[in-house]
Amino acid sequence: MRSRTATWFECRIRYEKTMEDGMQKKVTENYVVDALSFSEAEERITEEMSVYVSGEFDIVDIKIAPYAEVFFADSDAADKWYKAKLAFITLDEKTQKEKRSAVNYLVNAGSLNGSVKAIDEIMSQSMVDYSTVSVNETTLLDVFEYKKKEKDDKPEYEQQ
C-alpha cells in the first residue's frame, strides 16, 4: 500500500456507453484526478478519459475532493474505492481534554474488510491515537495520480 498527498479533484463525466447487449446508454461516472487547479483537473480528466471513451463525453462536475491522502493498493483484486473518516485524538494541554479532529482518506481495496485492514496497517506506522468513524464504498471508478511526462534525453540547447 502506498500513499500520495496531493490536491485531488472529483470529476463526473457523462457519455454514451455501449452495454454488453450492444445497446447505447447514457451513463455518468465518477473519477478522481490529481491536479493543481480546476483547469488542470479538466485537462487531466479529458486526457485520461479520451483513452477509455470512444466518442464525445461531457464533464458535468469538478469539485475539490475532501481527501487528505489517497492510499493505493498494489493488488489487482483492489478494484473498489472507500472513503474512510478517521478521528485523530489529541490532548489539549490547557484544558486536559481530548480533542478529536476528523480527516478523510480514500482507500483502494477489494472489500470493506480489506479497506479497514489497509487503514489499520497504514495507521500502525503512526504514533497518533485515532478511531475509525466510518468506512463507505464510493461510486468512484478510478483515481488518476499525476505522473511526470518523460522528456527527451536531448537538452533544449547545446552547451558550448
Side-chain angles (χ1 to χ4, degrees):
M1 180 77 44
R2 59 190 163 76
S3 75
R4 177 107 163 47
T5 304
T7 302
W8 300 97
F9 291 83
E10 287 186 6
C11 304
R12 292 173 59 91
I13 66 161
R14 183 173 294 141
Y15 67 99
E16 292 271 335
K17 184 175 187 175
T18 304
M19 306 310 285
E20 289 180 13
D21 61 6
M23 299 294 292
Q24 293 284 100
K25 181 180 177 185
K26 197 82 152 164
V27 296
T28 302
E29 297 177 341
N30 299 316
Y31 297 90
V32 171
V33 296
D34 176 6
L36 297 173
S37 65
F38 283 93
S39 300
E40 185 183 359
E42 181 177 13
E43 183 181 315
R44 298 255 354 268
I45 195 64
T46 300
E47 183 181 307
E48 295 287 353
M49 294 315 299
S50 64
V51 175
Y52 300 106
V53 177
S54 60
E56 294 185 18
F57 60 89
D58 296 317
I59 300 169
V60 294
D61 189 29
I62 298 177
K63 63 184 176 186
I64 295 176
Y67 313 118
E69 277 187 80
V70 174
F71 298 107
F72 294 88
D74 296 327
S75 167
D76 290 337
D79 59 350
K80 296 179 180 133
W81 291 95
Y82 295 87
K83 179 180 178 182
K85 183 176 183 178
L86 303 183
F88 292 109
I89 305 163
T90 56
L91 191 62
D92 186 316
E93 292 185 21
K94 292 180 184 174
T95 63
Q96 294 298 309
K97 291 185 179 179
E98 280 189 356
K99 183 176 130 184
R100 293 176 176 261
S101 49
V103 179
N104 293 314
Y105 293 99
L106 190 59
V107 182
N108 185 212
S111 66
L112 181 67
N113 288 342
S115 67
V116 171
K117 183 179 175 189
I119 292 164
D120 289 340
E121 285 176 16
I122 292 160
M123 295 310 296
S124 71
Q125 300 167 13
S126 170
M127 299 295 285
V128 178
D129 287 334
Y130 75 97
S131 66
T132 304
V133 176
S134 64
V135 179
N136 298 304
E137 186 175 343
T138 70
T139 58
L140 297 172
L141 293 179
D142 210 347
V143 174
F144 302 107
E145 63 182 320
Y146 178 78
K147 291 186 178 80
K148 282 189 175 182
K149 293 182 181 178
E150 297 293 322
K151 289 187 175 183
D152 293 343
D153 292 335
K154 297 177 184 175
E156 289 183 31
Y157 61 91
E158 294 292 325
Q159 292 183 356
Q160 297 177 337

